[in-house]
């Protein structure tokens, strides 16, 4: 059957196509946006643009068809052109759709934001033939998005400020804790930190069966350095002594300045080896702290005297251990200085000492 020279099947196909197109145009006509198709040529010649362009921009569709009055690029805000070109070029290279926001400069009024989703159309030979897409007005949405973005930036800035304040507080606390537990001159742990560590080590040894060794160290002829050369020289000597004691430390050992020219060296380990280790460490301390200080009247040979005490074989608690090591050190001072003193070396006098401790 023929209809004006066209087959019935062709008429049917035409009607079906027109219905689809009418439906598409009807749907897009209800939106604040427009469809377009343009050629892939130097001026992107517009082949079709829907009536929504008038609603959005105030320009008539016929102005753009075949670029009769203006090309579409002229309606894009010049500050956004580079971003649009980049988005389109990237998508075409990947043969995928682009999705880009930019501003349209309307015939009247302020620029407004649109979002374009588009893609390329390739012919059978694989050549890019057309560019087409859908553009929708997102001005109201953009206001909300920009506000959300601004709020997120403000929130991020507030979080960063809070984090910075938290870091400052933590740093101040660390500095405060450090100052409370360290000697200002030598930066070694102070008497307070020593007693806390001693209690912790004794508690740990009581549970594990290990032994703790304590070396009580007092410098020899320190007062002579102070009196002869002044307190600055004495301070420099204390810092030098502290560095030498640090050099002897293992990671598990602990050294502290108790005040003045008194230091304490604390360690823990196997009970059977504790005495031998204590003696070895004390000998190293004696050797390292033999320091020659130049003075106008002749060199001052600084040394130290070390009292060595072991928990639990010689003292049953932290206070007894400190008292024993301290007394042994003073006995060494009375017997000529520059020596280490243990309970074994004192014989019967050490036994009396242990009982009194």
């Amino acid at each position: 059957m023929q209809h004006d020279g066209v087959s019935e099947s062709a008429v049917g196909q035409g009607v079906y196509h027109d219905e689809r197109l009418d439906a598409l145009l009807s749907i897009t006509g209800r939106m604040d946006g427009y469809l377009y198709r343009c050629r892939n040529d130097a001026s992107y010649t517009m082949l079709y643009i829907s009536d929504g362009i008038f609603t959005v921009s105030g320009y008539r569709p016929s102005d753009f068809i075949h670029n009769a009055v203006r090309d579409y690029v002229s309606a894009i805000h010049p500050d956004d052109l580079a971003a649009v070109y980049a988005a389109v070029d990237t998508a075409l290279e990947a043969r995928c759709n682009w999705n880009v926001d930019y501003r349209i400069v309307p015939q009247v009024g302020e620029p407004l934001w649109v979002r374009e989703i588009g893609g390329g159309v390739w012919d059978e030979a694989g050549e890019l033939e057309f560019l087409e897409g859908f553009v929708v007005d997102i001005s109201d949405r953009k206001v909300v998005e920009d506000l959300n973005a601004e709020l997120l930036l403000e929130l991020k800035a507030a979080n960063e400020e809070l984090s910075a304040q938290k870091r400052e507080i933590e740093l101040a606390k660390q500095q405060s804790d450090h100052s409370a537990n360290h000697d200002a001159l030598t930066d070694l742990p102070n008497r307070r930190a020593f007693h806390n560590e001693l209690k912790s080590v004794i508690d740990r040894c009581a549970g594990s069966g290990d032994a703790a060794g304590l070396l009580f160290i007092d410098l020899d002829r320190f007062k002579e350095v102070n009196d002869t050369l002044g307190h600055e020289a004495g301070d420099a000597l204390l810092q030098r002594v502290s560095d030498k004691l640090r050099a002897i430390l293992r990671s598990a050992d602990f050294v502290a300045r108790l005040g003045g020219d008194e230091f304490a060296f604390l360690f823990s380990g196997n009970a059977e080896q504790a005495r031998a280790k204590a003696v070895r460490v004390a000998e190293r301390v004696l050797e390292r702290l033999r320091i020659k200080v130049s003075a106008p009247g002749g060199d001052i040979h600084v040394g130290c005297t070390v009292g060595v005490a072991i928990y639990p074989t010689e003292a049953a608690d932290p206070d007894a251990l400190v008292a024993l090591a301290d007394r042994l050190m003073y006995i060494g001072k009375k017997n000529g200085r520059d020596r280490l003193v243990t309970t074994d070396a004192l014989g019967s006098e050490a036994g009396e000492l242990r009982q009194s401790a």
Side-chain angles (χ1 to χ4, degrees):
M1 179 179 176
Q2 299 287 327
H3 183 76
D4 293 336
V6 181
S7 69
E8 186 177 33
S9 61
V11 172
Q13 292 173 2
V15 170
Y16 177 63
H17 174 76
D18 290 342
E19 287 176 352
R20 287 195 303 171
L21 181 58
D22 288 344
L24 180 60
L25 293 176
S26 176
I27 292 170
T28 56
R30 297 174 187 275
M31 299 179 181
D32 294 328
Y34 47 92
L35 295 167
Y36 75 88
R37 170 177 274 195
C38 66
R39 287 198 183 98
N40 178 38
D41 56 22
S43 57
Y44 297 109
T45 303
M46 191 67 68
L47 300 177
Y48 170 79
I49 192 164
S50 63
D51 292 342
I53 184 66
F54 181 76
T55 305
V56 172
S57 69
Y59 298 117
R60 297 184 178 279
S62 57
D63 288 357
F64 296 99
I65 300 301
H66 299 297
N67 299 0
V69 176
R70 59 182 51 83
D71 57 26
Y72 183 71
V73 169
S74 68
I76 299 175
H77 195 290
D79 291 347
D80 298 339
L81 273 175
V84 174
Y85 283 136
V88 172
D89 289 344
T90 300
L92 289 175
E93 185 176 351
R95 293 211 173 192
C96 64
N97 291 337
W98 57 82
N99 188 326
V100 59
D101 295 349
Y102 57 89
R103 286 165 291 179
I104 288 288
V105 181
Q107 192 168 30
V108 178
E110 296 295 320
L112 51 93
W113 282 94
V114 297
R115 177 165 296 159
E116 178 179 329
I117 301 173
V121 178
W122 284 264
D123 61 19
E124 293 180 357
E127 295 294 328
L128 179 63
E129 193 170 6
F130 305 113
L131 282 70
E132 59 186 17
F134 179 68
V135 182
V136 61
D137 183 355
I138 60 166
S139 297
D140 293 340
R141 190 188 316 169
K142 189 70 174 177
V143 171
V144 175
E145 289 177 352
D146 288 347
L147 179 60
N148 287 340
E150 184 177 345
L151 290 174
L152 284 174
L153 288 175
E154 291 177 358
L155 181 60
K156 181 180 178 183
N159 284 335
E160 289 175 350
E161 183 176 353
L162 287 174
S163 297
Q165 291 176 355
K166 182 179 178 182
R167 287 193 297 271
E168 289 177 1
I169 292 171
E170 290 174 348
L171 180 60
K173 183 179 182 302
Q174 290 173 2
Q175 292 173 340
S176 176
D177 290 345
H178 187 86
S179 298
N181 290 284
H182 286 76
D183 173 55
L185 176 64
T186 64
D187 202 39
L188 285 177
N190 58 17
R191 182 180 292 272
R192 172 186 175 182
F194 165 72
H195 283 289
N196 289 338
E197 180 69 12
L198 177 61
K199 183 180 183 303
S200 176
V201 168
I202 294 298
D203 288 345
R204 189 166 63 247
C205 288
S208 66
D210 285 341
L214 175 61
L215 278 59
F216 223 79
I217 305 164
D218 190 87
L219 297 183
D220 300 331
R221 304 186 71 184
F222 175 72
K223 186 176 184 300
E224 186 177 343
V225 173
N226 260 348
D227 293 346
T228 303
L229 301 175
H231 290 288
E232 288 187 3
D235 288 348
L237 175 60
L238 291 172
Q239 290 171 336
R240 189 174 174 186
V241 167
S242 301
D243 291 340
K244 288 180 177 293
L245 289 175
R246 283 192 188 93
I248 300 173
L249 279 176
R250 299 180 312 165
S251 60
D253 298 338
F254 187 87
V255 66
R257 182 190 177 201
L258 303 182
D261 60 345
E262 290 185 341
F263 298 83
F265 196 106
L266 178 65
F267 67 89
S268 61
N270 183 275
E272 295 180 358
Q273 301 173 0
R275 172 57 58 80
K277 175 181 176 180
V279 170
R280 286 198 306 271
V281 174
E283 288 173 344
R284 292 181 66 191
V285 170
L286 285 172
E287 180 184 352
R288 294 290 184 91
L289 298 191
R290 290 188 177 109
I291 301 170
K292 183 172 67 174
V293 179
S294 299
D299 294 339
I300 302 172
H301 293 274
V302 176
C304 69
T305 302
V306 184
V308 180
I310 307 296
Y311 166 89
T313 56
E314 298 173 355
D317 59 60
D319 291 339
L321 187 66
V322 170
L324 178 58
D326 189 30
R327 291 181 185 184
L328 289 170
M329 181 271 293
Y330 275 108
I331 289 172
K333 287 281 190 181
K334 291 178 181 179
N335 285 278
R337 302 183 296 191
D338 191 29
R339 66 190 60 206
L340 68 91
V341 183
T342 68
T343 54
D344 287 344
L346 292 176
S348 60
E349 185 180 0
E352 296 174 4
L353 209 57
R354 286 198 297 274
Q355 291 175 4
S356 64

